[in-house]
Amino acid sequence: MLQKTLLGAAAVLSLSLAGAAQAQSQAQTEITWWHAMGGELGKRLEKIADDFNATQSDYKVTPVYKGSYTETLTAGIAAFRANQQPHIMQVFEVGTATMMAAKGAVYPVYQLMADAKEPFDPKSYISAVVGYYTDEEGNMLSMPFNSSTPVVFRNKEAFKSAGLDPEKAPKTWAEMAEIATKIAQSGDATTCGFTTSWISWIQLENFSAWHNLFFASKDDGFAGMDADLLINQELPLRHVTNLNDWQANGAFKYGGRRSQSAPLFYSGECAMYFGSSAGYAGIRANAKDFTFGVSMLPYYDDVQGVPQNSIIGGASLWVLKGHDQEEYDGVAKFFSYLSSPEVQAWWHQETGYLPITTAAYELTKKQGFYEKNPGTDTPINQINLNPPTAASKGLRLGNFVQIRDVINEEFEEIFSGNKTPKEGLDDAVKRGNDLLRQFQDANS
């Protein structure tokens, strides 16, 4: 009889606990976060959401991988039209103009934080990062998340083999040409001086900002959609002509679009690699046979006032309208958590992306991370080298994904000998401007 009583009490207790857990689960406000990060980066992103969920019981952030950046943006637009949009969507930096033009779809972050009465100080964020995602009044439209900037990685063993000081990275393009040529002609296994990833982003977009030049008119698109590309002007034309000429003696080797050239550096074939700061972990994992250094981008020292500052790549988090305010209160609290020094320092150290706040940078420095991992502070120093100007704040151009494809195609026509650098850049401007006018007409 006693045994039956105990079993009955246990069953009642079990049901009560299950009911309480179910009630708690039902009481949580669900927040959906669509993102474009697979693999190891995706796991780290999910950890941020899980850790936030563990800090409180009112909200549950659920990350959902939606494919590439382009696929995520396309899916988000389609979902909004079907009234099935997520609360948060990760959008790459070249999609900023598209998101801004999506009238009625976006809940600006500065307004979100004010409505939710969540503490929010835009000045605590790194200006070169925030500038990309602000309107003409300086209001933050989206939350910076994974921001990177290009740097130069160098193979120290290749420098030694060529009789060069492995601790002395080229600062100017004249030094880059001299060192790259010497390495390529040194006769050892390294047959290429340098290669580059993301050639439009690094060799034109960041090149322009680094030299305080406009990539496009209308303040690089910030001052209006009626912008025109300026990438066939004197200095970018000179630079692309040099890249093309350096192919002939092996100083430079084109290795493909995006990050397709990375294996040329991993294998030791190319001694230097222009890549995203977020590629640090990948290089550390793949460069098995040599030690490497990290340095800032080179510059043409006959240009007045150089270098200026580099600009970012990566993505930010946009909030989509169409949900209840209670849910947006949770989004605001999650953004506060996401921006905290501890979370940002961890994300920065784990991935190579920039810390989005000064406090996260200071915490990382205090923890000794930069001393233990030389070169990891290079991108922060470079992007903060000088206060951003109108020409080094970033780019806000419509149809920019397609414009980058056009630029890639024209680079390949130049490097294959089918066009001169002037013909290729002139055609890139003409085709790119056509895409800008299409975007302008569609959003006027």
Side-chain angles (χ1 to χ4, degrees), residues 364-391:
T364 299
K365 186 163 60 173
K366 183 179 178 182
Q367 292 171 340
F369 180 78
Y370 300 128
E371 290 181 6
K372 298 173 188 173
N373 301 274
T376 50
D377 60 344
T378 299
I380 298 105
N381 295 334
Q382 178 179 271
I383 206 165
N384 288 327
L385 189 63
N386 289 295
T389 67

Side-chain angles (χ1 to χ4, degrees), residues 22 60 108 131 148 160 213 226 230 306 383 404 408 422:
Q22 185 178 11
K60 180 182 179 183
S148 59
K160 291 177 186 176
L213 298 173
D226 54 336
L230 300 174
V306 295
I383 206 165
R404 271 191 180 170
N408 288 336
K422 186 177 188 314

Side-chain angles (χ1 to χ4, degrees), residues 122-364:
K123 293 180 181 178
S124 66
Y125 297 83
I126 294 175
S127 60
V129 174
V130 172
Y132 217 115
Y133 304 116
T134 56
D135 62 16
E136 56 274 10
E137 282 83 39
N139 296 313
M140 282 177 60
L141 303 176
S142 60
M143 178 63 69
F145 176 52
N146 57 304
S147 296
S148 59
T149 200
V151 292
V152 182
F153 299 94
R154 70 184 182 281
N155 179 333
K156 292 187 177 182
E157 272 62 51
F159 270 58
K160 291 177 186 176
S161 296
L164 298 165
D165 183 349
E167 302 306 322
K168 188 177 180 181
K171 292 184 178 180
T172 69
W173 275 108
E175 292 175 359
M176 173 65 73
E178 182 182 355
I179 289 173
T181 300
K182 187 170 184 179
I183 289 172
Q185 297 177 354
S186 63
D188 68 359
T190 304
T191 59
C192 150
F194 73 93
T195 187
T196 185
S197 62
W198 297 95
I199 195 161
S200 174
W201 180 53
I202 298 176
Q203 303 300 339
L204 283 179
E205 297 164 37
N206 267 279
F207 175 87
S208 297
W210 195 228
H211 291 84
N212 203 23
L213 298 173
F214 286 107
F215 180 88
S217 64
K218 291 289 181 177
D219 289 356
D220 282 335
F222 275 81
M225 287 189 285
D226 54 336
D228 291 307
L229 298 182
L230 300 174
I231 58 175
N232 59 347
Q233 303 295 307
E234 181 181 356
L235 190 62
L237 175 58
R238 170 182 163 192
H239 182 54
V240 175
T241 300
N242 284 340
L243 290 175
N244 195 44
D245 291 344
W246 290 331
Q247 282 199 122
N249 63 5
F252 167 66
K253 183 172 184 177
Y254 176 66
R257 304 181 184 186
R258 301 176 179 84
S259 299
Q260 293 170 335
S261 58
L264 294 175
F265 183 68
Y266 298 159
S267 67
E269 182 176 346
C270 291
M272 290 175 282
Y273 172 64
F274 286 71
S276 167
S277 59
Y280 185 93
I283 290 173
R284 186 172 55 191
N286 286 282
K288 302 290 188 183
D289 301 324
F290 60 87
T291 55
F292 66 90
V294 187
S295 60
M296 293 187 189
L297 300 173
Y299 53 88
Y300 287 97
D301 56 356
D302 59 341
V303 177
Q304 187 175 2
V306 295
Q308 172 56 40
N309 65 276
S310 58
I311 57 176
I312 63 169
S316 64
L317 305 182
W318 291 80
V319 182
L320 301 181
K321 288 186 175 179
H323 300 284
D324 295 335
Q325 185 57 46
E326 181 184 7
E327 296 164 55
Y328 289 125
D329 289 346
V331 173
K333 290 188 181 301
F334 175 59
F335 280 176
S336 291
Y337 174 84
L338 184 73
S339 300
S340 65
E342 295 76 14
V343 173
Q344 274 301 306
W346 177 84
W347 174 252
H348 164 53
Q349 294 171 32
E350 285 285 311
T351 65
Y353 284 112
L354 298 166
I356 62 172
T357 64
T358 303
Y361 166 67
E362 293 295 341
L363 177 59
T364 299

